[in-house]
Amino acid sequence: MIKEASSCDLKNLVAKFIPESIGKEIEKVTQSIYPLQNVYNRKVKILKAPKFDLSKLMETHGDYSEDKGVKVDRPAEEMIVEEAEVDGA
């Protein structure tokens, strides 16, 4: 587990946990000692926080500098109809 975790970044490590390739590798390595079956990673805990790198964070989450849109003005008659429905309920 330590070898796998230290050889890649967090994104790649999570990608290895999902198909449970690390559990299968543990089964293969321990086969000569004791035949294990159904090896799964139930819980993973970060013991040492990695160094914070802003460029990797932005690479992971993407660039949101583009315009997300503008607020649309609603016609006055739609607002009156909605208020009447709320009052009648």
Side-chain angles (χ1 to χ4, degrees):
M1 294 277 298
I2 294 171
K3 180 183 79 169
E4 291 291 329
S6 63
S7 66
C8 61
D9 61 344
L10 184 62
K11 188 176 183 180
N12 293 337
L13 185 63
V14 171
K16 288 181 182 179
F17 281 134
I18 292 173
E20 300 186 17
S21 63
I22 295 177
K24 292 175 186 174
E25 187 173 328
I26 291 172
E27 283 182 28
K28 290 176 189 175
V29 172
T30 59
Q31 198 66 26
S32 63
I33 300 169
Y34 189 80
L36 296 175
Q37 295 177 351
N38 301 329
V39 176
Y40 299 107
N41 293 318
R42 184 177 66 176
K43 194 177 206 180
V44 178
K45 184 176 182 180
I46 297 176
L47 298 177
K48 181 180 174 188
K51 293 180 182 177
F52 179 73
D53 189 9
L54 184 61
S55 62
K56 284 189 178 181
L57 179 70
M58 293 307 293
E59 177 184 312
T60 303
H61 293 288
D63 186 22
Y64 293 108
S65 63
E66 67 228 20
D67 186 23
K68 294 183 179 158
V70 293
K71 187 174 182 180
V72 177
D73 293 328
R74 297 175 73 184
E77 57 192 44
E78 284 184 14
M79 295 183 76
I80 295 171
V81 171
E82 288 180 4
E83 288 178 6
E85 290 176 6
V86 173
D87 290 337

